[in-house]
Amino acid sequence: MARMPIIAGNWKMHNKRAEAEQLAREVVAATAATTDVEIVLCPPFTSLEAVAKAIAGSRVKLGAQNCHFEEKGAFTGEVSVPMLKELGVEYVIIGHSERRQYFAETDAAINRKAQTLYAHGVTPIICVGETLEEREAGRTAEVVSTQVRGCLAGLPADKVAASVIAYEPVWAIGTGRTATKEQAQEVHALIRKLVAEMFTPDVAAALRIQYGGSVKPENARELMSQPDIDGALVGGASLKAESFAGIVNFNK
Ligand code: 13P
């Protein structure tokens, strides 16, 4: 089964409303000719509405960078899935390494967030990845497997099949140091094998696995040519329409 590549821009804590709206309009224009790649923009919460307006009527979809696992309640500073859904959000990044590192997000919390997203028909982009220290200690497979098991444990197979996993080696994020296509492919294949074991081979074959970490127009094509790399989660290079479109149009 052919998996449609999915390229998402994670804007992190960048772009106020006017800048966000402008960038989103530029992305729509620069990617209009590409129909064989799914395109997602994940602005900060405060710019979601402006971006929703800018992408209306285009193929570009809206994503958020986090959510809470409860639907409502006394959780000061948090944002719920129904609140995001109301703004047109179709994807939510969960378990990004920056959230794991600075906000103590755990695999168990990510698992609960995925369940809540599924309940509302929103697709999670579940992030996993090892640190440099873990890679150098030869622990990449063990660390990523533990994360995948913890994040996906007990989730419904049909929902997992339609989900997205992003493999983002922490040492490659914002460092300009991209994983080689071989390094990335090795971990992507491992993740797919693990999902086949946890669920079924069909679930693993349908699941899309993005690579993230210093993806640029110059390396996108090479990474995407790997059999188990189904797209990219892009940080820095998603903040300019030209470079983001250069990644989206990797096949052109
Ligand atoms: P960079 O593309 O800036 O390395 O960031 C990757 C990332 O963290 C996307 O979620």
Side-chain angles (χ1 to χ4, degrees), residues 10 12 93 96 98 168 172-175 212-215 233-237:
N10 174 10
K12 306 191 181 183
I93 300 169
H96 191 280
E98 287 148 20
E168 298 204 304
I173 296 177
T175 57
S214 298
V215 177
L233 185 53
V234 187

Side-chain angles (χ1 to χ4, degrees), residues 3-6 126 128 148 163-168 184-185 187-193 195 204-212 223-224 226-233:
R3 294 181 292 266
M4 184 181 283
I6 176 165
I126 301 165
V128 298
V148 170
S163 297
V164 179
I165 290 183
Y167 168 57
E168 298 204 304
Q185 167 57 27
V187 180
H188 281 233
L190 169 109
I191 293 170
R192 205 176 301 284
K193 182 161 166 278
V195 171
L207 173 82
R208 289 181 294 177
I209 308 176
Q210 295 175 315
Y211 167 79
L223 287 160
M224 239 71 88
Q226 297 301 299
D228 289 297
I229 301 184
D230 309 312
L233 185 53

